Amino acid sequence: MITKAQADRFWKDGIEARNSHDLDRILSHCSEDFVMSSPHNAVIAGEPGGVLKGKRASVRETRVSSVRGKT
């Protein structure tokens, strides 16, 4: 079990990671097999169902979308 202080640090670092737009830092807070479902994924990542599964899919789709100019 983690302490409240550890949880607070993890939460704060997660927010800072998202605000930094650093994909590797953001994904460091996720397990290898995480699932992210969002209607924005359909636009940003070109994923019609809006679901990205795992870090590799997220990195691949995000980098592809940046090449397409969608980010």
Side-chain angles (χ1 to χ4, degrees):
M1 169 121 0
I2 65 172
T3 66
K4 182 178 181 329
Q6 290 170 319
D8 288 345
R9 277 194 303 276
F10 184 79
W11 182 257
K12 182 180 177 189
D13 189 59
I15 292 169
E16 290 172 358
R18 284 163 186 77
N19 288 337
S20 75
H21 304 279
D22 180 338
L23 183 60
D24 292 325
R25 187 173 172 199
I26 294 166
L27 291 176
S28 74
H29 290 85
C30 302
S31 65
E32 290 295 326
D33 61 349
F34 86 106
V35 176
M36 181 173 62
S37 178
S38 169
H40 297 290
N41 291 340
V43 175
I44 294 169
E47 175 56 45
V51 178
L52 296 178
K53 296 180 181 179
K55 285 185 182 182
R56 290 183 187 191
S58 295
V59 170
R60 182 186 68 244
E61 295 299 340
T62 301
R63 291 193 176 142
V64 166
S65 68
S66 67
V67 169
R68 292 179 189 152
K70 293 184 179 181
T71 59

